[in-house]
């Protein structure tokens, strides 16, 4: 579904050029959800923006469904860090933003309801709790019925209870809708909980240092299992090692 | 309701200060230098038709100037502020012309356009235009990147980017600028009417009226009150518009997780 081949990303020009990703290759199967972890500033989010077509690869290729990615694709949606809601639009207008921009007639009523936002459609983001804002951000992406969902730390900076709720919500949506997902997170437990594979990046310029198979992700009771804690521990050690 | 009460209180306070000032000046100079509020309102009531006509003319002139200044300054400021490349070339031009008081060019404007309505409006437009331009440009540079990314990621074209993000994001700052520029705008209306309306009668505008009745201080003072009311009218008009168009900024409260 998604193929990334010898991808390098750099920003700045000339002598000030900073290499964020260096020769990364991986692929994501149709319907698979993978997590990306790595030290902060290693370019995980930049990679996500490249997958979304917002920035061009410096070298290498990104293909979705065998087609080279040049700019925004309608079947790919992005969930931003802190949701990126527009404060002057109501919950409904925020959730339907993508639909309106793409000139689609659909509405987000159903999506908002499944995310527990029924009755809040005419509120403004300023009136919502942080957890609700994130759900609106998720609704905005899901309302487009994407085949690929890119998630940039959608649960970061939330209290643990709210985070767990949204993680479960995300898993449920993934099972029901069957999208292909790429989740960037700095929360190791979250990466193991949601990703059927966990891709580990090294510090900048980042290379792919490990791919951890995690097929139990998304199964019931996985969060409390021995295998879960074992993998979390393993990844924590691995990342700590890299930071040194 | 509380809004009106506060204005009422301010009004009473102002009348008190005004009355006190005219009384002190009377004691010092031993003659009436500043007419008292009572004298002013009395003469104002007697000449209400004249004052209303002058008020209407000034208000119309100001409204027209405000609309023209906004319809040119706002889009230009937003585009220049938002497109970084354009900003680099354009901002020196703005910063060079911005500090020039339009009054300094009055003579040339007068020679170029005569003393008709055009030039009066033009002077006010030029002054307001720069206020709007600079405010819009500044606001457009402050737009958080995540707003832009969220619409770009949905595949927005340039027009949609302006419609969904740039315009609404800058609207609050633009309203603030507009409210601040009411003071400047009214000063400019006053100057334009005063300097460029020598052949016109006192009914042609409040500035003209004040100048015309230089030897009738009570009537001139009624004109000054008219200017204050003109400012208040526009200020509250813009405030109401802001509260309606940017209602998302005036909300409080949080839902549950």
């Amino acid at each position: 579904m998604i193929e990334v081949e010898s991808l390098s990303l750099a920003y700045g020009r000339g002598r000030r050029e900073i290499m964020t990703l260096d020769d990364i290759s991986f692929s994501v199967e149709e319907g698979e959800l993978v997590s990306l972890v790595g030290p902060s500033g290693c370019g995980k989010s930049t990679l996500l923006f490249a997958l979304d077509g917002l920035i061009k690869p410096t070298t290498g290729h990104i293909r979705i469904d065998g087609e080279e990615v040049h700019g925004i694709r309608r079947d790919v949606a992005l969930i931003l860090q802190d949701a990126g809601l527009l404060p002057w639009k109501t919950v409904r207008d925020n959730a339907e933003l993508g639909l309106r921009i793409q000139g689609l007639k659909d509405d987000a009523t159903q999506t908002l309801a499944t995310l527990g936002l029924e009755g809040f459609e005419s509120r403004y983001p300023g009136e919502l709790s942080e957890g609700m804002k994130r759900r609106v951000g998720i609704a905005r992406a899901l309302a487009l019925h994407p085949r690929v969902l890119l998630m940039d730390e959608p649960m970061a900076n939330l209290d643990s209870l709210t985070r767990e709720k949204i993680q479960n919500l995300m898993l449920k949506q993934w099972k029901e809708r069957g999208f292909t997902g790429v989740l960037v997170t700095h929360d190791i437990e979250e990466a193991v909980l949601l990703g059927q594979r966990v891709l580990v990046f090294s510090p900048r310029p980042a290379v792919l240092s490990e791919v951890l198979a995690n097929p139990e992700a998304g199964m019931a009771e996985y969060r409390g299992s021995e295998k879960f804690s074992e993998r979390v521990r393993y990844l924590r050690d691995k990342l700590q090692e890299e930071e040194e | 309701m509380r809004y009106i009460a506060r204005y009422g209180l301010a009004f009473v306070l102002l009348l008190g200060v005004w009355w006190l000032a005219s009384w002190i000046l009377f004691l010092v100079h031993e003659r009436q230098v500043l007419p008292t509020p009572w004298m002013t309102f009395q003469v104002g009531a007697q000449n209400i038709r004249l004052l209303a006509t002058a008020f209407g003319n000034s208000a119309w002139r100001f409204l027209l100037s405000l609309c023209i200044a906004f319809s040119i300054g706002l889009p230009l400021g937003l585009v220049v502020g938002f497109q970084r490349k354009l900003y680099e070339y354009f901002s020196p031009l703005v910063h060079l012309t911005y500090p020039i008081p339009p009054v300094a060019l009055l003579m040339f404007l007068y020679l170029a356009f005569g003393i008709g309505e055009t030039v009066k409006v033009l002077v006010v437009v030029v002054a307001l235009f720069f206020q709007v331009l600079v405010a819009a440009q500044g606001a457009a540079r402050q737009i958080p990147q995540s707003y832009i990314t969220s619409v770009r990621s949905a595949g927005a074209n340039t027009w949609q980017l302006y419609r969904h993000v740039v315009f609404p994001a800058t609207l609050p700052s633009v309203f603030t600028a507009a409210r601040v520029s009411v003071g400047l705008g009214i000063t400019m209306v006053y100057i334009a009417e005063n300097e460029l309306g020598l052949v016109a009668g006192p009914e042609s505008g409040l500035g003209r009226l004040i100048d015309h009745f230089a030897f009738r201080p009570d009537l001139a003072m009624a004109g000054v009150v008219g200017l204050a009311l003109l400012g208040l009218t526009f200020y509250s008009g813009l405030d109401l518009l802001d509260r309606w168009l940017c209602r998302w900024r005036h909300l409080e409260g949080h839902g549950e997780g």
Side-chain angles (χ1 to χ4, degrees):
Chain A
M1 180 79 190
I2 306 174
E3 292 161 81
V4 174
E5 189 192 321
S6 344
L7 177 72
S8 296
L9 288 172
Y11 57 82
R13 267 180 206 170
R15 231 180 289 169
R16 278 202 226 140
E17 189 178 77
I18 297 172
M19 191 75 132
T20 54
L21 295 176
D22 187 15
D23 197 19
I24 304 263
S25 297
F26 67 90
S27 62
V28 184
E29 299 303 312
E30 173 117 40
E32 189 187 18
L33 206 167
V34 300
S35 305
L36 267 50
V37 294
S40 44
C42 76
K44 306 179 295 259
S45 300
T46 320
L47 171 61
L48 222 50
F49 286 2
L51 291 176
D52 195 34
L54 285 168
I55 51 176
K56 276 194 204 122
T58 310
T59 57
H61 302 277
I62 298 171
R63 281 184 284 269
I64 291 178
D65 261 350
E67 277 171 52
E68 189 90 28
V69 172
H70 300 287
I72 306 299
R73 288 173 60 108
R74 288 196 168 199
D75 52 356
V76 179
L78 174 69
I79 298 174
L80 286 170
Q81 229 175 78
D82 301 320
L85 301 182
L86 304 178
W88 47 87
K89 288 188 186 283
T90 59
V91 166
R92 172 180 295 284
D93 290 344
N94 263 295
E96 292 176 352
L97 181 69
L99 294 169
R100 291 296 89 82
I101 284 175
Q102 300 186 3
L104 300 170
K105 286 272 181 309
D106 299 13
D107 65 52
T109 311
Q110 191 58 42
T111 314
L112 284 169
T114 53
L115 293 176
L117 291 162
E118 205 174 354
F120 289 92
E121 291 90 343
S122 54
R123 297 298 185 91
Y124 288 91
E127 299 176 288
L128 304 180
S129 68
E130 201 49 45
M132 289 179 88
K133 283 187 206 168
R134 304 298 174 89
R135 280 188 271 153
V136 178
I138 295 167
R140 181 166 68 193
L142 290 179
L144 292 166
H145 300 288
R147 291 178 59 223
V148 176
L149 188 61
L150 307 170
M151 296 162 268
D152 189 12
E153 311 213 14
M155 286 76 109
N157 307 318
L158 287 175
D159 64 89
S160 53
L161 218 66
T162 309
R163 179 161 54 229
E164 221 167 278
K165 249 178 165 173
I166 296 188
Q167 285 165 347
N168 292 338
L169 198 85
M170 216 62 239
L171 268 178
K172 188 163 168 264
Q173 292 301 316
W174 172 63
K175 283 180 192 161
E176 283 176 10
R177 295 171 184 249
F179 51 77
T180 306
V182 180
L183 170 76
V184 163
T185 178
H186 61 239
D187 181 337
I188 296 168
E189 294 186 14
E190 183 171 292
V192 177
L193 187 75
L194 299 177
Q196 294 176 302
R197 279 186 299 149
V198 182
L199 311 188
V200 184
F201 286 83
S202 73
R204 207 167 61 198
V207 294
L208 198 54
S209 64
E210 165 126 16
V211 178
L212 179 74
N214 185 37
E216 293 87 351
M219 286 182 186
E221 311 300 320
Y222 183 46
R223 201 191 284 265
S225 73
E226 184 56 38
K227 200 163 241 165
F228 174 76
S229 344
E230 198 181 295
R231 287 197 180 129
V232 169
R233 216 175 307 124
Y234 172 79
L235 277 175
R236 185 163 289 143
D237 292 345
K238 172 88 192 157
L239 280 165
Q240 244 152 27
E241 214 173 275
E242 276 182 356
E243 296 252 21
E244 277 157 18
Chain B
M1 216 45 228
R2 199 179 280 176
Y3 194 72
I4 295 167
R6 275 196 295 248
Y7 270 97
L9 187 69
F11 184 68
V12 170
L13 198 73
L14 211 58
L15 282 187
V17 173
W18 175 4
W19 181 81
L20 200 69
S22 62
W23 183 61
I24 292 171
L25 285 167
F26 181 74
L27 288 185
V28 174
H29 294 276
E30 292 179 334
R31 64 187 172 85
Q32 197 75 47
V33 175
L34 181 69
T36 62
W38 174 242
M39 292 158 75
T40 305
F41 288 123
Q42 230 175 1
V43 91
Q46 284 157 13
N47 295 283
I48 193 69
R49 200 173 282 268
L50 173 67
L51 282 164
T53 315
F55 182 92
N57 284 331
S58 291
W60 164 245
R61 211 162 275 145
F62 184 50
L63 183 67
L64 186 68
S65 311
L66 200 65
C67 291
I68 297 175
F70 263 82
S71 48
I72 308 170
L74 185 60
L76 195 63
L78 292 182
V79 170
V80 168
F82 192 62
Q83 313 300 129
R84 195 163 301 167
K85 261 263 124 31
L86 215 57
Y87 178 79
E88 284 166 17
Y89 287 100
F90 197 81
S91 65
L93 200 65
V94 173
H95 295 141
L96 271 175
T97 44
Y98 173 57
I100 301 174
V103 193
L105 303 171
L106 220 52
M107 189 62 192
F108 305 105
L109 290 172
Y110 165 68
L111 290 173
F113 295 96
I115 51 169
E117 195 57 34
T118 320
V119 68
K120 286 184 215 162
V121 171
L122 198 70
V123 173
V124 187
V125 167
V126 172
L128 294 178
F129 167 77
F130 278 106
Q131 299 292 315
V132 176
L133 181 73
V134 170
Q137 189 185 289
R141 285 166 63 74
Q142 307 289 331
I143 301 172
Q145 190 60 42
S146 70
Y147 298 169
I148 299 162
T149 310
S150 66
V151 296
R152 285 226 307 140
S153 156
N157 57 31
T158 309
W159 162 241
Q160 287 171 323
L161 192 58
Y162 275 90
R163 185 171 108 73
H164 292 288
V165 176
V166 180
F167 186 66
T170 53
L171 206 54
S173 324
V174 169
F175 266 117
T176 305
R179 277 194 302 254
V180 170
S181 64
V182 165
L184 176 73
I186 291 198
T187 308
M188 294 314 296
V189 168
Y190 173 81
I191 293 173
E193 289 176 352
N194 225 326
E195 305 277 319
L196 301 165
L198 297 173
V199 291
E203 73 289 342
S204 69
L206 287 169
R208 193 75 275 279
L209 183 135
I210 293 166
D211 193 52
H212 185 87
F213 291 114
F215 298 104
R216 279 289 305 279
D218 47 355
L219 251 178
M221 206 53 201
V224 174
V225 173
L227 280 181
L229 289 179
L230 183 65
L232 181 65
T233 307
F234 276 93
Y235 190 90
S236 18
L238 286 166
D239 204 41
L240 287 175
L241 211 58
D242 180 20
R243 274 164 197 276
W244 180 56
L245 287 174
C246 305
R247 53 191 174 282
W248 56 275
R249 287 177 70 227
H250 307 283
L251 301 165
E252 284 299 322
H254 292 277
E256 295 152 39

